[in-house]
Amino acid sequence: MSRTTSAIEPSALGIEPARPGHVYLLGGGPGDPGLLTMRAAALLQTADLVAYDRLSPAEVLALVPADAERICVGKTVGRPGWDQDDIGQLLVNEARLGKAVVRLKGGDPFVFGRGGEEAIACREAGVPVTVVSGVTSAVAAPAAAGIPVTHRGVATGVAFVTGHEDPSKPESQMDWDALARFPGTLVFLMGVGNVGRIAGMLIANGRGPDTPAALVRWGTTSEQEVLAADLVSIADEVRRTGFASPAAIVVGDVVSLRDVIGDVAPLAGDPAPAEPLLSTLSL
Ligand SMILES: C[S@@+](CC[C@H](N)C(=O)[O-])C[C@H]1O[C@@H](n2cnc3c(N)ncnc32)[C@H](O)[C@@H]1O
């Protein structure tokens, strides 16, 4: 049977070209370019200027027109990134020049992406700003490794937590007691260098040392790597294997579901094993 393609107009889906004098805070997704939203793709294809981060995938940047300006405002090895105030100022100044400005961020712009600060900078300057949500690595990286962040009967909630507190803060703002007692999955971003402290504080505050934990590096991409261990030994495993960022750290019983589901991202390897493992899973 032959199939016909849909005749839905892009505008009916809310997909439109980038407007002059406007700032778009775009979520670029977790790395797999197939997880970019259609709206984000259309805006990138029509931008005059794109300010992007170090982790922005090359395939996503390839959508930017050849004659558009590209500015990397993220940190690169040996070089600090732009100051946050300067990024806000750049977006405002370029929009005021009448350019269609796209600020491309990894994952979702409002999940540890400082997108809120950039939205406020635009609002305060009276520059129109639109937020285009993206697929966050906090969900997509575990998912690609066969770890659903919630699962009926296993985890009824999930908390996204920074693994890297601002070092300029005089005291830790983390409520380790509440995090240890949280009745669900914990996902730490930006935490690879701190995994020993994270695991230690959770255990010291009552989380079981045998709680399953995993790190998912470059989740959803062809570079994806997964390291799983119980909470008490995860930091030693990270050190022993030299596991590096960027990775999402997942803590909770849902990590055991990986034994059944396996790698399931299109770019991240072979499909899940075919054996009927469900009956062997104990959680
Ligand atoms: C500054 S945060 C930005 C998070 C982003 N806004 C999001 O929603 O995914 C950067 C951190 O996100 C995580 N991250 C980003 N991409 C990732 C990926 N493909 N796999 C695993 N973790 C990733 C890492 O913890 C990294 O240190």
Side-chain angles (χ1 to χ4, degrees):
M1 197 167 65
S2 68
R3 307 184 77 182
T4 53
T5 49
S6 161
I8 295 176
E9 287 294 320
S11 60
L13 297 170
I15 297 168
E16 55 172 30
R19 276 173 276 158
H22 205 104
V23 172
Y24 297 87
L25 301 178
L26 287 198
D32 175 353
L35 293 175
L36 190 70
T37 65
M38 289 192 288
R39 181 173 293 168
L43 292 167
L44 283 165
Q45 285 172 317
T46 51
D48 296 317
L49 182 146
V50 177
Y52 62 96
D53 287 331
R54 186 178 59 87
L55 292 182
S56 302
E59 299 91 336
V60 170
L61 283 172
L63 291 170
V64 179
D67 60 350
E69 282 174 76
R70 297 156 195 238
I71 302 178
C72 180
V73 294
K75 295 188 185 79
T76 47
V77 179
R79 255 194 320 155
W82 281 45
D83 182 81
Q84 191 58 43
D85 289 343
D86 292 342
I87 295 175
Q89 204 55 57
L90 171 79
L91 303 178
V92 165
N93 291 347
E94 296 293 330
R96 281 183 173 154
L97 290 173
K99 296 182 191 170
V101 177
V102 164
R103 172 71 173 108
L104 174 64
K105 290 172 166 290
D108 182 274
F110 278 7
V111 178
F112 301 127
R114 306 193 73 167
E117 291 162 63
E118 291 167 20
I120 290 169
C122 292
R123 280 274 186 250
E124 286 181 347
V127 167
V129 58
T130 297
V131 174
V132 180
S133 295
V135 175
T136 179
S137 64
V139 172
I147 303 170
V149 291
T150 68
H151 191 81
R152 192 161 58 93
V154 180
T156 52
V158 55
F160 302 142
V161 188
T162 176
H164 177 77
E165 273 195 289
D166 184 345
S168 64
K169 285 182 194 162
E171 282 177 22
S172 171
Q173 308 267 307
M174 307 279 275
D175 185 342
W176 288 107
D177 174 52
L179 287 172
R181 285 186 294 104
F182 180 72
T185 309
L186 301 172
V187 180
F188 293 87
L189 297 188
M190 305 171 286
V192 178
N194 253 341
V195 65
R197 174 172 159 76
I198 292 168
M201 291 304 278
L202 290 175
I203 293 170
N205 283 275
R207 198 84 168 199
D210 56 350
T211 304
L215 276 79
V216 185
R217 176 171 196 262
W218 287 123
T220 77
T221 76
S222 55
E223 310 289 306
Q224 178 171 304
E225 286 179 83
V226 183
L227 176 71
D230 53 22
L231 195 53
V232 74
S233 47
I234 192 82
D236 284 345
E237 285 301 303
V238 167
R239 264 191 300 275
R240 188 181 65 75
T241 57
F243 206 88
S245 63
I249 303 171
V250 193
V251 178
D253 288 337
V254 289
V255 171
S256 301
L257 292 162
R258 170 170 165 76
D259 297 341
V260 182
I261 298 172
D263 284 333
V264 283
L267 298 183
D270 295 326
E275 297 90 52
L277 288 171
L278 262 178
S279 58
T280 64
L281 180 72
S282 64
L283 291 166

